[in-house]
Amino acid sequence: CGTPHHRDCYKKNGECGNYDKHSEGFRWTPEEVNLQQPEQPEKEQQDTPEQPTANAFFVANPLSQFPQDIEEGVSAEDVAGFVQIHAIKYIRNFFYAKSNKKTFSWAAFFFTPYWFFYRKMYKLGAIFMALSLLLTVGFNILPPVQTLYDDMTEWTEKYNVEDLEEFTEEELAQAYTERNEMILGNPTGSILIMVQGALSIALQIFVGFKANKWYYNHTITNIKKIKAEEPDPQKQRLLFFKAGGCSVGATFLAVLANNMIVMAVDMLLTFIK
C-alpha cells in the first residue's frame, strides 16, 4: 500500500501498520498519520538522539513529490509499480514528456536498439535492430566498402600495429603513406563509410530524444489496458509487475540474434567471394 515505516518499528509489529485496510484497496498518502504504532514505555517516547518518537518514524514518500495522477485513472504509484527500476527518474521524465518538454535518454542513446528490449518494448526494439543492421550489414555489402575493408585488412596484416614502436621513421612514413593512398584511392568506399557512421550517430541521437516519450506511451497504454481488464487493485499491481520492469533475457537474446545475423552475412559474403 506504500505506507512508510521505520525499520525497527516494522520489525516489532511484524506487519504493515495499515494492514487491516489492505482488503479495501487502501493506498497511503502523505496525509495519512494513523499508523498503529506499538505501545512503548513512556520514557521511550521522549525525543532523544538515541530513541526518536513515533512521529519521527515516518519518512518522506518519494512519490509525494509528484501529482497523484499522471493521467486520468493512472497514478504515479501505478507507474512506479510498472517501471520498477529507476521509477522516480522515469516518472519525472514522464511529466516532462507529457508537457512536451525535451528529455534525453543516455541509456537509449548508447544501447540502441537493446534498451528497447530491456524495457520490454519489443516492437520498437525489432524496428531499430533492423535499422541498425541495415546501416551496418547493408553498407558493408556494397563493393566499394568491401574493397576498402579488404585493403585495410591487408594493411593491418602487413604492418602489425603491435610492432609499430619498433619501426624506423622511414618504415612508419611508408606505412602511413600506403594507408592514405589506399583511402584516397577509394573515395567512394571512404565516403560510404563516413555516411554509415553519420547515419548511425544520427539514429542514436534521434532515439535518445524520443525514448522517454515512447516509454511513457508504452507504460500508460499497458497500465490502462490492465486496469480495464482487471478491476481488483491487488491483482492489478501483480500484473503491472509482470508486464513492466526490465528483461535481461530479452536483451541477451536480442544481442545474440544481432550477432548471428552479422556472422551469417559475413559467411555468405566470404562464400560468394
Side-chain angles (χ1 to χ4, degrees), residues 40-90:
Q40 300 176 356
E42 183 176 350
K43 65 178 181 179
E44 294 184 2
Q45 296 183 6
Q46 298 176 357
D47 282 327
T48 65
E50 294 77 15
Q51 185 66 44
T53 63
N55 290 333
F57 291 154
F58 289 93
V59 295
N61 183 353
L63 295 179
S64 64
Q65 63 185 292
F66 305 109
Q68 186 172 0
D69 290 338
I70 291 183
E71 283 197 9
E72 184 177 356
V74 179
S75 68
E77 184 180 351
D78 294 333
V79 173
F82 186 91
V83 174
Q84 300 168 40
I85 298 177
H86 299 307
I88 299 300
K89 179 189 77 173
Y90 280 107

Side-chain angles (χ1 to χ4, degrees), residues 2-273:
T3 302
H5 296 80
H6 185 274
R7 184 183 299 273
D8 293 336
C9 242
Y10 188 89
K11 288 181 177 180
K12 190 167 185 178
N13 277 339
E15 63 182 19
C16 173
N18 287 313
Y19 180 77
D20 58 331
K21 300 181 181 180
H22 286 186
S23 60
E24 304 170 3
F26 170 80
R27 294 184 181 182
W28 181 87
T29 62
E31 289 74 24
E32 296 290 339
V33 292
N34 58 340
L35 283 185
Q36 300 172 0
Q37 297 294 339
E39 294 184 0
Q40 300 176 356
E42 183 176 350
K43 65 178 181 179
E44 294 184 2
Q45 296 183 6
Q46 298 176 357
D47 282 327
T48 65
E50 294 77 15
Q51 185 66 44
T53 63
N55 290 333
F57 291 154
F58 289 93
V59 295
N61 183 353
L63 295 179
S64 64
Q65 63 185 292
F66 305 109
Q68 186 172 0
D69 290 338
I70 291 183
E71 283 197 9
E72 184 177 356
V74 179
S75 68
E77 184 180 351
D78 294 333
V79 173
F82 186 91
V83 174
Q84 300 168 40
I85 298 177
H86 299 307
I88 299 300
K89 179 189 77 173
Y90 280 107
I91 291 174
R92 185 178 297 109
N93 288 334
F94 288 172
F95 276 106
Y96 290 145
K98 183 181 177 182
S99 59
N100 293 321
K101 291 183 179 180
K102 295 295 184 183
T103 62
F104 191 85
S105 172
W106 288 104
F109 170 80
F110 284 113
F111 300 106
T112 302
Y114 306 117
W115 177 81
F116 293 99
F117 291 97
Y118 182 66
R119 284 292 172 179
K120 298 185 179 180
M121 293 184 282
Y122 303 124
K123 290 182 180 179
L124 283 173
I127 291 172
F128 285 106
M129 177 178 284
L131 289 175
S132 297
L133 286 170
L134 182 63
L135 289 174
T136 53
V137 175
F139 272 78
N140 291 349
I141 64 176
L142 297 175
V145 176
Q146 285 190 55
T147 300
L148 186 57
Y149 280 143
D150 290 342
D151 292 342
M152 287 296 293
T153 300
E154 292 180 5
W155 182 89
T156 303
E157 292 176 351
K158 181 179 179 180
Y159 298 101
N160 192 331
V161 177
E162 296 179 356
D163 298 333
L164 288 181
E165 294 181 356
E166 301 177 3
F167 284 14
T168 63
E169 292 185 4
E170 291 77 10
E171 289 174 331
L172 281 174
Q174 177 64 25
Y176 288 119
T177 298
E178 290 185 15
R179 187 192 65 176
N180 293 336
E181 290 176 351
M182 175 179 56
I183 295 174
L184 295 175
N186 187 353
T188 303
S190 302
I191 292 173
L192 286 173
I193 289 176
M194 288 189 289
V195 170
Q196 176 192 36
L199 290 176
S200 297
I201 291 296
L203 178 65
Q204 289 179 269
I205 293 174
F206 173 73
V207 168
F209 277 112
K210 300 292 289 186
N212 287 321
K213 180 68 173 180
W214 287 332
Y215 191 36
Y216 168 73
N217 293 334
H218 169 79
T219 300
I220 298 300
T221 299
N222 278 275
I223 289 175
K224 286 184 175 180
K225 181 180 178 181
I226 290 171
K227 286 196 165 189
E229 296 174 353
E230 177 54 66
D232 186 346
Q234 297 290 343
K235 292 182 179 179
Q236 285 176 5
R237 285 193 282 273
L238 178 60
L239 293 173
F240 293 161
F241 181 81
K242 290 182 178 180
C246 302
S247 176
V248 176
T251 309
F252 173 78
L253 291 176
V255 173
L256 182 63
N258 184 83
N259 291 341
M260 290 181 66
I261 292 172
V262 172
M263 290 176 60
V265 172
D266 287 342
M267 291 175 64
L268 180 61
L269 292 175
T270 303
F271 177 76
I272 293 174
K273 291 179 183 180

